[in-house]
Amino acid sequence: MTAESEDQRDNPTDSQSQAQFRQQVRAWCRDHIPADWRDTQTGVGDEEFVRFQKAWFAELHSAGYAVPHWPAEWGGGLPVDRQVVLYQELAAHDAPRLVLAFVGIHHAASTLLVAGTDEQRRRHLPAILDGEIWVQGFSEPEAGSDLAALRTTARRAGDEFVVNGQKLWASGGMHADWCLLLARTDPDAPKRPGARKSAGISYFLMDMTTPGVDVRPIRNAIGDSHFCEIFLDDVRIPAANLIGAENNGWQVAQATLGAERGLTMLELAERLGNAGFRWLVQSAPVDDPIVADRLAGFETEITGLRGLCRQIVERGATGPADASVVKLYYSELLQRLTDFAVEIGGPEAHTVLAKPMSSGWESGSWVLDFVGSWEWTIPGGASEIQRTIIAERGLGLPREPGAA
């Protein structure tokens, strides 16, 4: 679609202010999105990937488009209807994704805004806008979906905590400046009568340059090293970096997980509808009635997902299981859509073994996208965990029995 035809294309649901904003974003996209970014970001090394990601974030930030979901006093404040327009146009113009900044602008920011101190917010929110990179240190070798089983310990030593343990599946850990870390500060808490396994866990902000932090990349099935292990050997974290009250980290973590399962989906749903589905239609044999029927089904599902995401964000206070509904819906839809793309792509689709590092989970390299889609059904709580949350918190069904 040419720039001229885009300007002539109207969205019938846009208000006058939305339409004006849409034209503003379209003009910005035409002037600022690198036309060759897919070629230049395919097969690049880590150093160039980080450079490009930081430069692209700075470009969006200078336009006021990097953190539209943040409060106005911290550089955001864009109304939800304009956020939707922004994400629609960025996806329609095939803009690079903020892969490297994702944890910082969503998970770290939501945690700081909900549970951080004024000093912590003043220290880190402006730094994130200046390019500070974050990683999430939650999962462990024996505590993935059952996160409350974590074994990393944090022992109080004066005005510091001494941390020992291991974290796993830390996305982008090799590039991170800071880490959102969960550690057990009271190992005896879960053993007390009536206590839950999540008792005695605290939430920390950890400087990744602290002595004793060892980051080791993990090569995945695609050949990337997106995931990392983080080993912690007598790492000293100042008590001032504690988020929320000591031993109350599980409650704080719900803000982080809620962001991962909920509000981040507004952008991802628009990406899936405006980029992933569009590319699928362009490559599909639409004259085949079976293919056409499947595509119609996907379009219906994507429309429902986009509407659900927008409704949740506009409503503000979400229900106890809304974020889990969206996360489950999106991740399994993404998996089925990319699987179908591989199926209709035939043998040729299996020969595309590279994708741009700054693309999303629907890059059009369908085999790699399908392999990568499995990542989304696991982090932030696997699909089985989401179904349990929906059943217990959303539908009020009896709690799942614990292990004997």
Side-chain angles (χ1 to χ4, degrees):
M1 181 176 289
T2 65
E4 289 76 19
S5 61
E6 283 176 355
D7 285 336
Q8 294 165 4
R9 175 170 55 86
D10 293 325
N11 188 318
T13 64
D14 279 354
S15 65
Q16 183 176 358
S17 63
Q18 284 177 297
Q20 292 173 345
F21 182 66
R22 189 179 296 276
Q23 294 304 318
Q24 173 187 323
V25 175
R26 284 179 181 170
W28 185 91
C29 287
R30 290 194 295 269
D31 293 340
H32 292 85
I33 295 176
D36 61 348
W37 75 267
R38 286 187 168 273
D39 292 333
T40 60
Q41 279 289 287
T42 300
V44 299
D46 284 347
E47 184 175 343
E48 172 57 23
F49 166 66
V50 173
R51 185 208 65 77
F52 178 84
Q53 279 284 306
K54 290 193 173 185
W56 177 238
F57 181 82
E59 194 81 16
L60 286 166
H61 177 41
S62 66
Y65 298 156
V67 289
H69 57 293
W70 286 18
E73 61 267 31
W74 294 109
L78 200 65
V80 172
D81 61 344
R82 294 196 179 190
Q83 290 184 45
V84 172
V85 169
L86 173 63
Y87 294 139
Q88 286 175 345
E89 294 302 322
L90 288 174
H93 287 81
D94 192 28
R97 281 201 60 247
L98 293 175
V99 180
L100 202 57
F102 191 81
V103 173
I105 64 177
H106 291 295
H107 309 99
S110 64
T111 302
L112 289 163
L113 289 167
V114 170
T117 64
D118 288 339
E119 182 179 352
Q120 289 167 342
R121 285 190 282 267
R122 287 194 299 268
R123 161 65 183 86
H124 290 292
L125 291 177
I128 291 172
L129 293 179
D130 286 337
E132 186 175 81
I133 304 303
W134 285 72
V135 65
Q136 189 169 298
F138 281 17
S139 296
E140 298 184 4
E142 297 182 23
S145 293
D146 185 14
L147 184 58
L150 65 86
R151 297 184 177 183
T152 296
T153 62
R155 175 178 54 83
R156 187 89 187 217
D159 60 355
E160 295 179 320
F161 287 86
V162 181
V163 183
N164 286 278
Q166 178 186 357
K167 295 297 177 177
L168 194 60
W169 311 126
S171 301
M174 76 287 280
H175 306 306
D177 303 303
W178 283 81
C179 175
L180 301 171
L181 183 75
L182 287 181
R184 196 171 293 281
T185 42
D186 185 354
D188 296 325
K191 305 173 187 176
R192 299 187 182 108
R196 293 188 176 183
K197 191 188 299 185
S198 58
I201 293 174
S202 295
Y203 199 121
F204 298 94
L205 309 178
M206 182 180 72
D207 186 340
M208 292 292 284
T209 64
T210 306
V213 177
D214 180 15
V215 181
R216 303 179 190 177
I218 302 171
R219 187 169 294 278
N220 62 20
I222 297 176
D224 296 335
S225 296
H226 175 63
F227 297 117
C228 294
E229 294 177 280
I230 303 176
F231 294 88
L232 307 167
D233 184 11
D234 285 342
V235 176
R236 292 185 172 270
I237 300 179
N241 287 7
L242 184 69
I243 290 275
E246 186 175 343
N247 298 322
N248 197 44
W250 188 257
Q251 286 68 33
V252 177
Q254 302 316 302
T256 305
L257 292 172
E260 185 168 6
R261 296 169 183 164
L263 299 185
T264 61
M265 296 300 167
L266 182 63
E267 176 189 1
L268 297 180
E270 293 301 332
R271 288 270 180 180
L272 187 60
N274 282 280
F277 183 70
R278 186 182 73 235
W279 293 332
L280 177 58
V281 171
Q282 289 173 352
S283 62
V286 294
D287 54 341
D288 184 317
I290 296 177
V291 172
D293 182 68
R294 291 287 299 278
L295 290 174
F298 281 126
E299 184 174 23
T300 301
E301 289 188 83
I302 291 171
T303 300
L305 172 66
R306 293 165 70 182
L308 180 61
C309 290
R310 179 168 179 171
Q311 182 184 59
I312 288 177
V313 175
E314 287 178 334
R315 200 167 59 215
T318 62
D322 284 358
S324 291
V325 170
V326 173
K327 198 270 185 182
L328 178 66
Y329 190 0
Y330 169 81
S331 61
E332 297 197 349
L333 174 57
L334 173 67
Q335 194 173 87
R336 287 185 286 103
L337 187 145
T338 52
D339 184 22
F340 179 65
V342 173
E343 180 183 344
I344 64 175
E348 184 178 349
H350 292 259
T351 65
V352 181
L353 301 178
K355 63 185 289 187
M357 291 187 68
S358 294
S359 65
W361 291 273
E362 59 287 315
S363 72
S365 301
W366 295 119
V367 169
L368 301 185
D369 289 340
F370 175 59
V371 174
S373 72
W374 287 81
E375 175 186 341
W376 254 103
T377 60
I378 299 171
S383 293
E384 292 78 6
I385 297 296
Q386 305 310 323
R387 287 185 169 87
T388 298
I389 293 173
I390 293 167
E392 295 177 359
R393 303 179 191 174
L395 302 178
L397 298 178
R399 289 183 59 84
E400 185 177 23

